[in-house]
Amino acid sequence: MPARENTHALLPHLFRQEYARMTAVLCRHFGLEQIELAEDIAGDTFLKASESWAVDGIPENPVAWLYTVARNKVRDYLRHRAVFETKIRPGFTDDNDLTDHFDFDEGLIADSQLAMIFAVFNPELSAESQICLALQVLCGFSVEEIANAFLAKPETIKKRLHRARTRLREDRFRIVALGETDIRPRIDAVLKTLYLLFNEGYFSRTHDQAVRKELCSEAVRLNLVLTENPLTNTPEANALLALMCYQSSRLEARTDGDGQIVRYEAQDRSLWDQSLIDKGNYYLINAGGGETLSKYHLEAAIAYWHTQPDTPASAPEPTESRTAKTSKWQHILLLYDELLRVAYTPVAALNRAFAYARVYGNRAAIRETETLGFTETSDYHALLGYLYTSVDTSKAVDHYRRAIALSQSEAARQVLEKQLMCL
């Protein structure tokens, strides 16, 4: 494969993995007030990689190459820009200090990244602003992707980001080793951001691809940073990581050769990753040490049951008058009932209706779904289209057409159109 093709395949992955880590270490030295400078240096490093690797090929150790270039760019900047003379030079005795201060060792990177994760969550900002900032600074989300996560207009997100970044520069939070008082008021927003990041990758609504595995991988990586530090290794962090592992175990089976979504019941289970299921089990056990039952615990438990075998094929299908005994769907339905009490969302309500159909049949589930009244959402009509398929074909067609009209994702529209054609 030509060097250019290799570069195009590797660089996006490295950007997701290393850009935020590099920025965090730079902010540790420059201070958060110089975050734009840190982002510029990190961005220039990846720009040079895209130019150099396309010609010379990928180096033997591409990550080390990136950090060497970043370090050299810092030294060049400090020597030649006026800001060095007025704001930073007094802190160094000679140029040898530059070498000592900008070693990108793994311990420094890990500490800096954890601190950077929490730095963007200033309790004085609204929760929405904290999450918007984290999605952009830590995860590389575009304004469009953030707007979709909040169901807001891009212009609204731009203004929110501008205010949040201004406040971040003014914040006295330091990129240093964290204490419990730094973590406690910010941990909930951190977990919520990682949850949104994973969901955008698991079923992207703003991208041509239905599944964006790099976003799922980034969410898992950042969540691992939390579980690897004693101060942030909380039951909720473990529950969220368990959820991500269970969901990630089915990623290879969620799309077909054309990149279109494969419904759960049609997935090739030989493609499920048992090692990730095992990791999910491990983190779910670790999550059991707390006194509270969070939404992450409940969603992880639901995801666990989705990885378990269905009722044997020889067993009778459930009907309105007869439930399937000890079916995993009964467990899932009970967990959704509890989830809706803890953290009600339209998505959870619709997923519960799907589980209800697996226990009580499609006709009963149609009645449950129609009481929800989410008539202006694509997912609502997509579910009704699916449920009506075995009950009333004309109504199924009508709902699928309405779902297609309301969908904002090209990938989702393709799936819906394929289901419509099969009626």
Side-chain angles (χ1 to χ4, degrees):
M1 182 184 289
R4 183 178 296 276
E5 293 183 18
N6 276 320
T7 299
H8 287 170
L10 179 62
L11 266 179
H13 168 72
L14 287 178
F15 182 86
R16 286 288 185 191
Q17 180 172 300
E18 303 299 336
Y19 175 83
R21 303 173 75 196
M22 189 180 295
T23 301
V25 176
L26 293 170
C27 283
R28 185 186 186 104
H29 296 288
F30 288 129
L32 280 172
E33 65 274 11
Q34 298 291 340
I35 185 173
E36 280 81 6
L37 168 61
E39 290 174 327
D40 286 346
I41 291 173
D44 287 346
T45 297
F46 279 90
L47 177 61
K48 183 171 182 178
S50 68
E51 296 170 345
S52 176
W53 296 359
V55 176
D56 301 328
I58 297 172
E60 182 177 348
N61 190 334
V63 173
W65 188 98
L66 288 169
Y67 283 108
T68 298
V69 171
R71 183 176 175 176
N72 291 336
K73 285 185 176 294
V74 168
R75 298 164 92 177
D76 291 342
Y77 178 84
L78 294 179
R79 290 193 181 105
H80 297 103
R81 296 295 295 269
V83 67
F84 171 56
E85 300 297 336
T86 59
K87 295 184 178 180
I88 301 174
R89 168 64 79 179
F92 298 99
T93 57
D94 54 51
D95 282 346
N96 289 332
D97 285 339
L98 300 179
T99 301
D100 296 335
H101 280 71
F102 286 94
D103 280 336
F104 291 95
D105 65 84
E106 283 300 318
L108 184 65
I109 290 173
D111 288 346
S112 300
Q113 187 178 23
L114 181 65
M116 190 66 172
I117 290 172
F118 281 84
V120 301
F121 297 106
N122 186 332
E124 296 182 14
L125 293 171
S126 68
E128 290 80 6
S129 294
Q130 293 176 45
I131 295 170
C132 283
L133 185 61
L135 289 174
Q136 185 183 64
V137 173
L138 297 174
C139 308
F141 265 40
S142 68
V143 170
E144 181 189 21
E145 289 167 334
I146 299 172
N148 177 73
F150 283 94
L151 301 179
K153 296 180 179 179
E155 287 303 317
T156 300
I157 296 301
K158 288 179 182 178
K159 293 177 181 177
R160 190 177 294 169
L161 283 170
H162 175 74
R163 291 192 296 268
R165 290 177 74 93
T166 299
R167 189 65 187 86
L168 178 64
R169 289 193 296 269
E170 297 171 350
D171 193 2
R172 294 185 179 182
F173 193 94
R174 306 302 300 172
I175 306 298
V176 294
L178 299 178
E180 188 175 350
T181 55
D182 301 311
I183 290 170
R184 189 183 303 113
R186 306 185 182 211
I187 185 68
D188 288 344
V190 170
L191 294 175
K192 185 175 181 181
T193 302
L194 298 183
Y195 178 82
L196 287 174
L197 173 61
F198 186 88
N199 283 350
E200 174 60 23
Y202 194 71
F203 195 166
S204 178
R205 298 177 183 275
T206 60
H207 201 268
D208 289 341
Q209 293 174 287
V211 174
R212 302 176 65 185
K213 296 176 185 177
E214 76 277 9
L215 297 190
C216 295
S217 175
E218 178 71 1
V220 170
R221 185 182 65 81
L222 292 174
N223 205 344
L224 278 169
V225 173
L226 301 184
T227 60
E228 290 170 355
N229 187 291
L231 290 175
T232 52
N233 187 28
T234 65
E236 291 78 12
N238 278 273
L240 179 57
L241 188 52
L243 169 62
M244 292 180 182
C245 289
Y246 289 136
Q247 300 289 59
S248 296
S249 72
R250 296 190 288 113
L251 281 176
E252 293 301 323
R254 288 196 73 237
T255 54
D256 60 19
D258 297 323
Q260 293 190 2
I261 288 290
V262 177
R263 297 189 69 91
Y264 171 79
E265 60 269 24
Q267 290 176 9
D268 179 356
R269 302 195 178 194
S270 68
L271 297 177
W272 291 6
D273 189 331
Q274 185 60 46
S275 67
L276 282 172
I277 295 174
D278 293 340
K279 288 179 180 178
N281 295 340
Y282 170 80
Y283 288 111
L284 188 57
I285 292 172
N286 286 351
E291 298 180 355
T292 60
L293 187 66
S294 71
K295 63 172 287 185
Y296 306 120
H297 287 83
L298 292 166
E299 291 196 32
I302 291 169
Y304 160 78
W305 280 109
H306 276 85
T307 67
Q308 300 306 298
D310 285 323
T311 303
S314 58
E317 286 297 317
T319 66
E320 294 182 58
S321 60
R322 182 184 67 247
T323 61
K325 295 181 179 179
T326 66
S327 164
K328 74 175 186 180
W329 290 101
Q330 283 188 309
H331 294 289
I332 291 172
L333 182 58
L334 289 172
L335 287 164
Y336 269 122
D337 287 340
E338 184 63 24
L339 177 61
L340 293 179
R341 284 190 285 270
V342 171
Y344 184 95
T345 65
V347 171
L350 291 170
N351 287 339
R352 177 194 175 274
F354 178 83
Y356 197 90
R358 300 304 296 264
V359 175
Y360 296 110
N362 284 13
R363 291 182 183 276
I366 288 171
R367 292 194 293 270
E368 286 282 310
T369 304
E370 289 178 341
T371 63
L372 299 175
F374 303 139
T375 56
E376 298 304 314
T377 65
S378 177
D379 290 343
Y380 171 81
H381 291 290
L383 176 58
L384 283 174
Y386 170 80
L387 295 175
Y388 268 115
T389 296
S390 61
V391 176
D392 186 328
T393 303
S394 63
K395 288 187 176 181
V397 169
D398 180 57
H399 281 293
Y400 272 130
R401 286 175 175 170
R402 293 168 73 180
I404 292 168
L406 289 168
S407 177
Q408 297 180 349
S409 165
E410 178 59 30
R413 280 195 294 271
Q414 291 176 0
V415 173
L416 293 167
E417 287 168 353
K418 184 177 180 180
Q419 291 170 338
L420 179 60
M421 290 175 63
C422 292
L423 293 177

